[in-house]
Amino acid sequence: MELVPAVLASGWASGVNAYLCVVVLGVLGRFGGIEAVPEALTRTDVLVVAAVLYLLEFVTDKIPYVDSLWDAVSTAIRPTAGAVIGLLIAGDAGSLEQAVLAASGGAAALVSHLVKGGLRLIVNTSPEPVTNIGVSLGEDVAVAGVATLVVVAPAVAFGIAAVLLVLGVILLVVLWKNVRRGYRRYRAWRERRLAVG
């Protein structure tokens, strides 16, 4: 049971930014001497590839609409990363336990990815890039923090990830209602102008 918080929290982090999650866990395991990090994540090739992909995501995530395209492509990648990290964290647990933990990590990653993607679509409706950049940097900080806590204090990491996920869902619902209301107002205004013209 002590593995569950670590798997779910790392799954949440993977769903928001899988590459950063791998980099943080790998660096902590390799240079921080934290043995709880699976050895596969500390390999040089894994760290280099994850770091390069994170840098690519860091840039694309700041560009409105390009970030949503990147999220669409990442729909298969992030949940898979969450499942793989969950499987690696499960280590030498029984095969049923490993399967359940891997599925849990993948499911947590999928849910957080869908919330992130939905929020970013809504943020893209704002006309300025500052909001997009701010949200992206906030996501990076949250992922780095939660991924660090996964190996130091898994229960705390899980608590923070759960709160962030619930807040994300609430924000998504509220913002989606506002966007729909704004769109309806725009359509009514446009129809009135066409009727007058």
Side-chain angles (χ1 to χ4, degrees), residues 31-47:
F31 302 108
I34 298 177
E35 294 177 11
V37 176
E39 190 176 326
L41 297 177
T42 65
R43 292 178 25 190
T44 302
D45 57 338
V46 171
L47 286 172

Side-chain angles (χ1 to χ4, degrees), residues 19-178:
Y19 308 119
L20 179 57
C21 182
V22 170
V23 168
V24 169
L25 290 174
V27 167
L28 287 172
R30 183 152 183 181
F31 302 108
I34 298 177
E35 294 177 11
V37 176
E39 190 176 326
L41 297 177
T42 65
R43 292 178 25 190
T44 302
D45 57 338
V46 171
L47 286 172
V48 168
V49 169
V52 168
L53 290 171
Y54 167 65
L55 290 174
L56 180 61
E57 181 161 338
F58 182 83
V59 173
T60 59
D61 215 32
K62 311 295 182 281
I63 304 167
Y65 299 105
V66 173
D67 66 331
S68 293
L69 181 62
W70 183 266
D71 285 341
V73 171
S74 298
T75 299
I77 297 167
R78 291 176 183 152
T80 302
V84 170
I85 292 171
L87 183 63
L88 291 172
I89 289 174
D92 54 359
S95 59
L96 179 59
E97 263 184 295
Q98 285 178 325
V100 169
L101 289 170
S104 300
L110 178 62
V111 171
S112 65
H113 167 71
L114 293 173
V115 169
K116 172 198 169 140
L119 285 172
R120 295 307 287 275
L121 275 172
I122 292 170
V123 168
N124 283 336
T125 63
S126 74
E128 38 73 35
V130 176
T131 308
N132 218 36
I133 293 169
V135 169
S136 179
L137 291 173
E139 290 169 354
D140 289 349
V141 169
V143 168
V146 168
T148 301
L149 287 172
V150 162
V151 294
V152 178
V156 174
F158 172 69
I160 292 170
V163 167
L164 290 172
L165 184 62
V166 169
L167 288 175
V169 169
I170 291 169
L171 192 58
L172 183 61
V173 170
V174 168
L175 290 175
W176 180 247
K177 286 181 180 179
N178 287 338

